[in-house]
PDB file of all heavy atoms in Angstrom:
ATOM      1  N   PHE A  10       9.932  36.098  45.549  1.00 89.00           N
ATOM      2  CA  PHE A  10       9.098  36.549  44.435  1.00 89.00           C
ATOM      3  C   PHE A  10       7.876  35.656  44.303  1.00 89.00           C
ATOM      4  O   PHE A  10       6.828  36.087  43.820  1.00 89.00           O
ATOM      5  CB  PHE A  10       9.893  36.605  43.129  1.00 89.00           C
ATOM      6  CG  PHE A  10      10.169  35.277  42.479  1.00 89.00           C
ATOM      7  CD1 PHE A  10       9.254  34.688  41.615  1.00 89.00           C
ATOM      8  CD2 PHE A  10      11.373  34.607  42.714  1.00 89.00           C
ATOM      9  CE1 PHE A  10       9.514  33.476  41.009  1.00 89.00           C
ATOM     10  CE2 PHE A  10      11.644  33.394  42.112  1.00 89.00           C
ATOM     11  CZ  PHE A  10      10.710  32.816  41.260  1.00 89.00           C
ATOM     12  N   LEU A  41      23.864  22.805  48.131  1.00 95.00           N
ATOM     13  CA  LEU A  41      24.496  22.332  49.360  1.00 95.00           C
ATOM     14  C   LEU A  41      25.890  22.919  49.517  1.00 95.00           C
ATOM     15  O   LEU A  41      26.289  23.325  50.628  1.00 95.00           O
ATOM     16  CB  LEU A  41      24.567  20.803  49.345  1.00 95.00           C
ATOM     17  CG  LEU A  41      25.150  20.140  50.605  1.00 95.00           C
ATOM     18  CD1 LEU A  41      24.322  20.488  51.831  1.00 95.00           C
ATOM     19  CD2 LEU A  41      25.230  18.625  50.417  1.00 95.00           C
ATOM     20  N   ASN A  42      26.635  22.988  48.430  1.00 93.00           N
ATOM     21  CA  ASN A  42      27.970  23.586  48.474  1.00 93.00           C
ATOM     22  C   ASN A  42      27.892  25.059  48.846  1.00 93.00           C
ATOM     23  O   ASN A  42      28.697  25.561  49.644  1.00 93.00           O
ATOM     24  CB  ASN A  42      28.649  23.418  47.111  1.00 93.00           C
ATOM     25  CG  ASN A  42      30.052  23.983  47.090  1.00 93.00           C
ATOM     26  OD1 ASN A  42      30.946  23.507  47.781  1.00 93.00           O
ATOM     27  ND2 ASN A  42      30.250  25.015  46.280  1.00 93.00           N
ATOM     28  N   VAL A  56      11.421  34.103  33.621  1.00 86.00           N
ATOM     29  CA  VAL A  56      10.719  35.121  32.837  1.00 86.00           C
ATOM     30  C   VAL A  56       9.221  34.962  33.071  1.00 86.00           C
ATOM     31  O   VAL A  56       8.636  33.911  32.793  1.00 86.00           O
ATOM     32  CB  VAL A  56      11.036  34.997  31.334  1.00 86.00           C
ATOM     33  CG1 VAL A  56      10.308  36.090  30.544  1.00 86.00           C
ATOM     34  CG2 VAL A  56      12.537  35.074  31.082  1.00 86.00           C
ATOM     35  N   VAL A  60      -0.553  38.753  33.079  1.00 74.00           N
ATOM     36  CA  VAL A  60      -1.781  38.349  32.403  1.00 74.00           C
ATOM     37  C   VAL A  60      -2.911  39.190  32.940  1.00 74.00           C
ATOM     38  O   VAL A  60      -3.033  39.401  34.149  1.00 74.00           O
ATOM     39  CB  VAL A  60      -2.085  36.850  32.639  1.00 74.00           C
ATOM     40  CG1 VAL A  60      -3.397  36.453  31.963  1.00 74.00           C
ATOM     41  CG2 VAL A  60      -0.944  35.995  32.113  1.00 74.00           C
ATOM     42  N   LYS A 111      -4.108  27.064  53.646  1.00 89.00           N
ATOM     43  CA  LYS A 111      -4.583  25.828  54.283  1.00 89.00           C
ATOM     44  C   LYS A 111      -5.248  24.883  53.273  1.00 89.00           C
ATOM     45  O   LYS A 111      -5.334  23.675  53.502  1.00 89.00           O
ATOM     46  CB  LYS A 111      -5.568  26.155  55.407  1.00 89.00           C
ATOM     47  CG  LYS A 111      -6.859  26.821  54.929  1.00 89.00           C
ATOM     48  CD  LYS A 111      -7.795  27.110  56.092  1.00 89.00           C
ATOM     49  CE  LYS A 111      -9.099  27.747  55.598  1.00 89.00           C
ATOM     50  NZ  LYS A 111     -10.023  28.043  56.733  1.00 89.00           N
ATOM     51  N   ASN A 286       9.873  34.316  11.773  1.00 93.00           N
ATOM     52  CA  ASN A 286       9.846  35.420  10.809  1.00 93.00           C
ATOM     53  C   ASN A 286       8.810  35.177   9.719  1.00 93.00           C
ATOM     54  O   ASN A 286       8.202  36.116   9.196  1.00 93.00           O
ATOM     55  CB  ASN A 286      11.230  35.601  10.180  1.00 93.00           C
ATOM     56  CG  ASN A 286      12.224  36.237  11.129  1.00 93.00           C
ATOM     57  OD1 ASN A 286      11.832  36.922  12.082  1.00 93.00           O
ATOM     58  ND2 ASN A 286      13.505  36.013  10.905  1.00 93.00           N
ATOM     59  N   SER A 381      30.448  13.220  -5.553  1.00 90.00           N
ATOM     60  CA  SER A 381      30.326  14.131  -4.418  1.00 90.00           C
ATOM     61  C   SER A 381      28.856  14.388  -4.079  1.00 90.00           C
ATOM     62  O   SER A 381      28.008  14.497  -4.965  1.00 90.00           O
ATOM     63  CB  SER A 381      31.006  15.471  -4.735  1.00 90.00           C
ATOM     64  OG  SER A 381      30.754  16.413  -3.704  1.00 90.00           O
ATOM     65  N   GLY A 391      16.124  22.498  -4.846  1.00 95.00           N
ATOM     66  CA  GLY A 391      15.794  23.097  -6.142  1.00 95.00           C
ATOM     67  C   GLY A 391      14.781  22.270  -6.916  1.00 95.00           C
ATOM     68  O   GLY A 391      13.891  22.822  -7.584  1.00 95.00           O
ATOM     69  N   ASN A 434      33.497  -2.782   0.659  1.00 93.00           N
ATOM     70  CA  ASN A 434      32.664  -3.846   1.215  1.00 93.00           C
ATOM     71  C   ASN A 434      31.212  -3.422   1.394  1.00 93.00           C
ATOM     72  O   ASN A 434      30.285  -4.180   1.088  1.00 93.00           O
ATOM     73  CB  ASN A 434      33.228  -4.299   2.565  1.00 93.00           C
ATOM     74  CG  ASN A 434      34.511  -5.085   2.415  1.00 93.00           C
ATOM     75  OD1 ASN A 434      35.013  -5.269   1.309  1.00 93.00           O
ATOM     76  ND2 ASN A 434      35.043  -5.556   3.524  1.00 93.00           N
TER      77      ASN A 434
END
Side-chain angles (χ1 to χ4, degrees):
F10 76 86
L41 183 60
N42 181 65
V56 181
V60 178
K111 64 180 181 180
N286 286 337
S381 173
N434 288 2

